[in-house]
Amino acid sequence: MRTQAAALVLAACASGACAIPAFDEVRADFKPSDTLILSREGEVLQRLRTDATVRRGQWVPLADVSPALRQALVLSEDKRFFEHSGVDWRAASSAAWGNLWNQRTRGASTITMQLAGLLDGDWRQGPGGRTVVQKVGQTVAAQVLDRRWRKDQILEAYLNLVPFRSELVGIDALSRTLFGKAAHGLDDREAAVAAALVRAPNARPALVAQRACGVLREMQQRAGAGALRVNCNALDLFTTAALQRRAFDASEGVAPHFARYLLRQRDKDSVVPERVASTLRAPLQRFAMQSLQQHLRELRGRHVEDGAVLVLDNATGAVLAWVGSSGQLSQASEVDGVLALRQPGSTLKPFLYAQAIAERRLTAASLVEDSPAQITTAAGLYIPQNYDRQFKGWVSVRTALAASLNVPAVRTLVMVTPDAFHRQLGAVGLPLRESGDYFGYSLALGSPEVPLLHLTNAYRTLANGGRASPVAVTLANGGRLTAVALADAKPRFTPAMDANAAFIVGDILSDGNARARTFGTDSVLATRFWTAVKTGTSKDMRDNWAVGWSERYTVGVWVGNASGAAMHEVSGTSGAAPIWAAVMGFLHAREPSRAPKAPQGLVRAAVRFGPGQPPSAGVPQPLEAARDEWFVPGTQQSLFAIDSIASEPYSTSAFGQKFSKNTAPTPTAPPAGASARITAPASGTVIALDPDIPPMRQRLQFTATGDAVQWRLDGKTLGRGPRLAWLPWPGRHVVQLTDGQGKVLDEVRLEVRGAGVVAATLRAGAH
């Protein structure tokens, strides 16, 4: 017998019973089914499930497990756990004696023996039970384990490795899934249910409740409360409800979209890490999310529910905040607004003007005409319109860009060509799916679709003097993801545009005075510190943007609807801009932002502008006030004025005018005896409101030949004189020109589309 027993022990050791791993090795090899995304400060920002085969939480130290659960587990599974040396020989002999007489007895497997089976699959019980060698091996392994580990280590490892129910493994997954709390918060009733599940993980709720009731009675007896009765019926209801609960969400935190993006960047063959230290700033991430949600609540009733915010570090490209959606405010909260393709509207204009300046086609002081234009294309005439329906005549490039005028941008694209601009957009990180010819001249007004991530990083290129580099979230190192060290990161910059042009465009976008013609002097875009910013709104008010940078940061904000539905009465300064301003204010609450230094060689010179058309008083006024302006070397000049305008300048081309240094001519008067006529707008004109400018600044210019004329709109008197500015409202309208006796001299019909302003408000402003 002794020889046979010794042989069994040797066989067990040979099978691995004596090769017990150390506690620290088991702890290090534990892999949760979730990955924790940490901020730069080490704070957990997001928990994301990455293993769909099992549900494990984090490893829970024994000190963080409730005393009630520790007591319930020992009473249920191994009453003499702290007394035996891994094997409870007394329980084993009782079980053997019961089996001899066919009596039903409690099993003799201790917590230590069960842990040995969890650590080594060779000792686990199969469908036909354990073999003799398995039983001996488990017994030997349990005794070796008891000698090498402390009791608290055994209990801690068991609680973290034991399967409880279905896919749930470990006490953290169980307590969070069934009870919605951490393991340290389990009370007596919850602990009894958890202990009962160890014995029969997939038993029916009634059986689990019955066993839990017995465990709870023993716990109360040990506590000296034997006189108290356990309400097993109530425990049955509680157990049934708990086993149906699934409170452990697959994702939890304030950066769900960023977490998914970050993990998608890793090598597919690498091991999924337990923790990832990211570049996000925890306070900034929370503030950006709160600002987005708060502002969208303020826009309630205007049919806007989605938005996204991205903050980049200018020097490294590190993502400091990534808010992909408005969360519970959205019906499509899983859609990542940072990566979604949307039309950028006027936010592409800075890159267009930068290219024209770099190619020396324009300067910041060059005069471009903001007036009706008809551009011949293969598909017909392209007729761009400004947001406010008001053409401002001759304006400088600085004014055209800062005030976001559409017609000058389209005329600039005619000079640059769509294909060349398409290549420039690709260089700054905005590759488009179609060619430049596909988009045509609408490319100047943001007709393609781009994600906020790429658009914001393209603006970061402007902030870095025309140098581009990829966005950084983490760095791959030995198959594991580690944080980007912002202080040490040295991104690889590549030239993407002319540094002089990038600086000039930044200077324009930071110029509040140049922006005032459209946005006013008290715009939300005006910050107390240096910033450069551009807004944009896509067709039919489906997307609203605000993207800009300071000395250290670039911030991009998108507001709209994930479904693509149009917003109601959301302009360029009421949609994304307030969120952009709030985030910028948070970033620079204690940090200054200074204007960048001009590149070496850039020229700053005084310029003045020639007079425009004489006003009614007959005193010519300059087109714009004199100022100092920046120039690419070799393009500077002191005077900008209009020499002449070609006849019928827009019938076949966007550029029928010439640029030089004289005044614009006075419009030719009608021949003597000719009847007065409406010269603009043309009959049949369809006007689509472009909501990139505040609604009350919208104007449509009515012009006519003759002086003693008056205007009627839909039968009501509107005003007198050859020129009249009208604040449009949606609908179909009849515009009539009459003489002093009310005789109709001319008539045009037009249609205004869009819902930029409530009709009643417009009517009040029109009078």
Side-chain angles (χ1 to χ4, degrees), residues 294-337:
Q294 177 182 343
H295 186 63
L296 290 184
R297 288 190 181 97
E298 294 174 358
L299 294 177
R300 186 174 298 168
R302 301 192 186 184
H303 198 242
V304 51
E305 62 179 29
D306 292 298
V309 181
L310 183 69
V311 181
L312 302 178
D313 182 274
N314 289 343
T316 66
V319 176
L320 304 181
W322 179 310
V323 181
S325 82
S326 58
Q328 69 269 22
L329 300 181
S330 172
Q331 298 183 33
S333 58
E334 293 301 310
V335 176
D336 189 349

Side-chain angles (χ1 to χ4, degrees), residues 552-687:
R552 281 202 57 186
Y553 309 104
T554 300
V555 177
V557 179
W558 166 80
V559 166
N561 293 295
S563 64
M567 299 174 284
H568 300 163
E569 303 174 43
V570 179
S571 69
T573 53
S574 66
I579 304 170
W580 178 88
V583 173
M584 270 296 185
F586 181 86
L587 287 166
H588 290 285
R590 296 179 179 83
E591 185 176 351
S593 177
R594 294 174 291 270
K597 294 181 179 179
Q600 188 173 3
L602 198 66
V603 177
R604 187 171 178 84
V607 298
R608 58 189 180 88
F609 298 89
Q613 296 179 4
S616 58
V619 180
Q621 298 293 325
L623 291 169
E624 293 189 12
R627 62 174 181 260
D628 287 343
E629 191 57 270
W630 292 102
F631 294 93
V632 173
T635 64
Q636 64 269 25
Q637 65 185 59
S638 59
L639 175 65
F640 288 83
I642 306 303
D643 181 27
S644 64
I645 301 176
S647 60
E648 300 182 3
Y650 310 123
S651 58
T652 59
S653 169
F655 277 89
Q657 72 276 5
K658 298 179 180 179
F659 300 94
S660 65
K661 304 177 180 178
N662 207 341
T663 60
T666 304
T668 303
S675 177
R677 290 287 182 265
I678 298 175
T679 57
S683 188
T685 297
V686 178
I687 300 168

Side-chain angles (χ1 to χ4, degrees), residues 500-511:
N500 291 329
F503 174 86
I504 293 173
V505 165
D507 186 69
I508 293 173
L509 295 181
S510 67
D511 188 347

